[in-house]
């Protein structure tokens, strides 16, 4: 922590907001709202581990937009050490949750998708109780998950403080995360395996826990990709229709319908 100008004596709340710009745009403002609320009480520091797929400028723009009261140093290239040193991580659902679990760092998982994706998921995916990999592997909720409308500053703070302010709960969570690490790492004498084979063995073991979720999510992914592709084409089409009808043919009555169509398509595609 000292290497990055952080204080080892202060509680460290690590932000892991995702690896794609769309995740950053959707989730980072909500995480920064939680930082503002937690930071007001003092005693915390909030480093952000920058994924190699993101530009520092894009993330920094959101941090600056959050205002002077939000102090979030952006750190690249040292994610695992930051996870290991953190008291808790606020992490977007994905592989980073598994990395936190393997390093036994307590976490709050957050995720939010577009209304269309959420609707399709509810219709097609039945019996899925968790989205976070640690909870899927454990078969029960080990770490809290906040989804969709529950992803807001107040609820994130409540979930994080519920862990940080309760040493017994935090210790129990670490024990459960250690068990997850053992589940993914056990099996045979790994010292005799080649490194590549060890890695493939762990991925196959993880696949066993994820198998009940793969086909439903694959269907959701295909449907959403087709839907989003159609929406991407719909917006330019509606814009052209508006131009032709309103500005060329002077059919002003078509304007409200075209505008409503563009807005609806934009909302459904999540932005």
């Amino acid at each position: 922590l000292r290497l990055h100008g952080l204080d080892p004596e202060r509680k460290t709340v690590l932000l892991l907001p995702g690896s794609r710009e769309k995740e950053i745009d959707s989730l980072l403002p909500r995480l920064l709202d939680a930082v503002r609320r937690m930071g007001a009480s003092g005693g915390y520091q909030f480093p952000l581990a920058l994924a190699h797929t993101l530009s520092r400028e894009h993330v920094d723009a959101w941090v600056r937009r959050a205002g002077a009261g939000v102090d979030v140093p952006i750190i690249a290239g040292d994610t695992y050490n930051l996870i290991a040193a953190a008291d808790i991580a606020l992490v977007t659902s994905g592989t980073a949750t598994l990395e936190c679990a393997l390093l036994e760092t307590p976490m709050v998982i957050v995720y939010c998708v577009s209304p269309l994706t959420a609707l399709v998921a509810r219709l097609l995916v039945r019996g899925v109780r968790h989205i976070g990999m640690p909870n899927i592997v454990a078969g029960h909720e080990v770490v809290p998950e906040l989804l969709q409308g529950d992803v807001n500053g107040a609820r994130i703070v409540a979930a994080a403080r519920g862990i940080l302010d309760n040493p017994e709960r935090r210790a129990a969570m670490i024990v459960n995360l250690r068990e997850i690490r053992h589940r993914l790492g056990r099996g045979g004498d790994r010292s005799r395996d080649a490194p590549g084979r060890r890695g493939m063995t762990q991925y196959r073991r993880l696949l066993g826990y994820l198998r009940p979720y793969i086909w439903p999510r694959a269907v959701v992914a295909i449907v959403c990709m087709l839907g989003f592709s159609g929406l991407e084409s719909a917006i330019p089409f509606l814009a052209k229709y508006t131009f032709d009808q309103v500005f060329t043919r002077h059919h002003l009555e078509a304007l409200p319908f075209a505008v409503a169509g563009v807005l609806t398509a934009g909302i459904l595609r999540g932005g």
Side-chain angles (χ1 to χ4, degrees):
L1 293 175
R2 287 194 180 95
L3 179 65
H4 301 294
L6 299 171
D7 183 358
E9 301 303 317
R10 297 176 67 190
K11 288 186 177 180
T12 300
V13 180
L14 179 63
L15 306 185
L16 292 163
S19 58
R20 296 179 291 122
E21 285 193 356
K22 197 167 185 65
E23 289 175 334
I24 296 298
D25 296 342
S26 172
L27 294 167
L28 184 54
R30 308 173 197 224
L31 293 175
L32 294 176
D33 183 35
V35 168
R36 182 184 297 103
R37 293 166 183 264
M38 289 188 73
S41 62
Y44 300 100
Q45 55 193 353
F46 304 92
L48 185 152
L50 183 69
H52 72 277
T53 54
L54 298 170
S55 71
R56 180 182 293 271
E57 292 74 16
H58 185 80
V59 175
D60 187 57
W62 279 111
V63 175
R64 284 188 281 105
R65 198 175 303 171
V70 176
D71 182 16
V72 176
I74 301 170
I75 302 170
D78 202 17
T79 298
Y80 294 144
N81 284 329
L82 288 171
I83 291 174
D87 294 284
I88 193 171
L90 307 180
V91 54
T92 297
S93 180
T95 55
T97 63
L98 193 60
E99 292 164 351
C100 290
L102 294 175
L103 291 168
E104 299 177 11
T105 298
M107 72 194 88
V108 176
I109 298 174
V110 300
Y111 206 64
C112 184
V113 296
S114 71
L116 176 61
T117 303
L119 175 62
V120 174
R122 282 195 295 268
L123 292 174
L124 295 183
V125 180
R126 305 287 182 175
V128 177
R129 293 176 295 167
H130 307 293
I131 67 160
M133 290 187 185
N135 294 334
I136 292 172
V137 173
H140 61 92
E141 183 172 291
V142 172
V143 299
E145 299 178 353
L146 298 177
L147 308 176
Q148 298 300 99
D150 288 337
V151 185
N152 58 64
R155 287 185 179 271
I156 294 170
V157 170
R161 292 291 297 268
I163 298 168
L164 291 170
D165 296 345
N166 188 333
E168 292 80 11
R169 183 185 178 194
R170 186 174 183 277
M173 187 177 293
I174 291 173
V175 170
N176 284 323
L177 294 174
R178 185 173 301 137
E179 172 60 25
I180 291 170
R181 180 167 61 84
H182 290 162
R183 285 189 185 188
L184 294 175
R186 70 191 178 194
D189 183 1
R190 294 185 298 168
S191 63
R192 293 179 294 181
D193 291 338
R197 185 176 176 183
R198 287 203 301 270
M200 289 303 297
T201 299
Q202 290 180 337
Y203 278 117
R204 284 197 297 269
R205 191 167 293 124
L206 177 61
L207 187 62
Y209 291 103
L210 298 178
R211 188 172 290 115
Y213 299 83
I214 289 175
W215 279 113
R217 291 193 175 188
V219 172
V220 172
I222 292 170
V223 170
C224 288
M225 282 190 293
L226 292 174
F228 292 156
S229 296
L231 290 172
E232 291 287 352
S233 303
I235 293 176
F237 172 81
L238 289 170
K240 182 178 183 302
Y241 173 82
T242 302
F243 185 85
D244 290 342
Q245 295 295 320
V246 176
F247 297 104
T248 303
R249 301 178 184 176
H250 303 288
H251 292 169
L252 295 180
E253 67 277 4
L255 182 58
F257 299 101
V259 171
V262 171
L263 290 175
T264 302
I267 291 171
L268 289 174
R269 65 184 287 272

